[in-house]
Amino acid sequence: MKISKYFSVILITLLVFSGGCAKSKSSRIYTESEALQAASVEAATVISVEDAILRKDGMIVGTASGAILGGIGGRGVGGGTGQNLAMAAGVLIGGILGHYAEQGLSDRKASKIIVKLDTGDSFAIVQEADVVFTPGERVYVITNRSDGIKRVSKMNN
């Protein structure tokens, strides 16, 4: 009975905090809902490019899973007060390890690209580092009309 309770908690946690389908942060990957949608295109020049990291929002699955597994592991140690302390330590240590494990698995390389539009406006866009941009390069800034998301894309001459 206790195992089914733990299994239920893990299953509910995974379903609630799984994050669903996230939009791509790439200049080359589009979701099905983004395809065939009108987007504004503006010419720009790359001013600078810096390395960055894309980290998943609300990383709770690793923390929760680690805490649950740590608690189960700690519960099997000793008895009485010692068992309760081991379980609490297992929850804490498991949660921390789970958080960092999820972070390590989900972090992605990104670029912070500062561009200057031909209109004179400048701004930064962070996107996946799947395309290399260099300062001085001419690019397009593509803005999705439905949600305002911007991407920097190569200008094919």
Side-chain angles (χ1 to χ4, degrees):
M1 187 66 155
K2 289 181 182 180
I3 294 197
S4 66
K5 283 183 184 178
Y6 288 121
F7 180 73
S8 298
V9 169
I10 292 169
L11 184 60
I12 290 169
T13 302
L14 291 174
L15 291 174
V16 171
F17 297 106
S18 64
C21 297
K23 290 191 177 205
S24 174
K25 307 298 188 240
S26 169
S27 66
R28 298 187 297 179
I29 299 172
Y30 293 82
T31 64
E32 286 186 9
S33 64
E34 292 171 318
L36 302 176
Q37 299 296 315
S40 300
V41 179
E42 298 176 88
T45 302
V46 175
I47 303 300
S48 70
V49 181
E50 289 180 34
D51 291 337
I53 295 174
L54 283 177
R55 180 162 292 154
K56 197 168 92 176
D57 293 330
M59 295 191 324
I60 189 73
V61 174
T63 304
S65 300
I68 290 167
L69 293 174
I72 291 170
R75 189 175 186 286
V77 176
T81 303
Q83 184 181 41
N84 291 337
L85 291 173
M87 191 166 97
V91 167
L92 180 64
I93 293 168
I96 291 169
L97 293 175
H99 170 79
Y100 286 113
E102 181 179 11
Q103 181 177 307
L105 293 171
S106 67
D107 280 0
R108 298 185 316 273
K109 290 183 180 181
S111 297
K112 179 172 75 172
I113 308 158
I114 299 177
V115 297
K116 183 173 186 174
L117 297 175
D118 289 354
T119 61
D121 292 338
S122 297
F123 51 86
I125 296 175
V126 176
Q127 64 186 41
E128 283 187 39
D130 58 344
V131 177
V132 177
F133 296 97
T134 56
E137 181 178 8
R138 297 288 291 158
V139 295
Y140 290 122
V141 175
I142 302 170
T143 305
N144 187 316
R145 290 182 180 172
S146 65
D147 57 17
I149 291 176
K150 295 182 182 299
R151 302 171 191 240
V152 178
S153 183
K154 290 277 188 182
M155 186 181 277
N156 295 325
N157 294 329

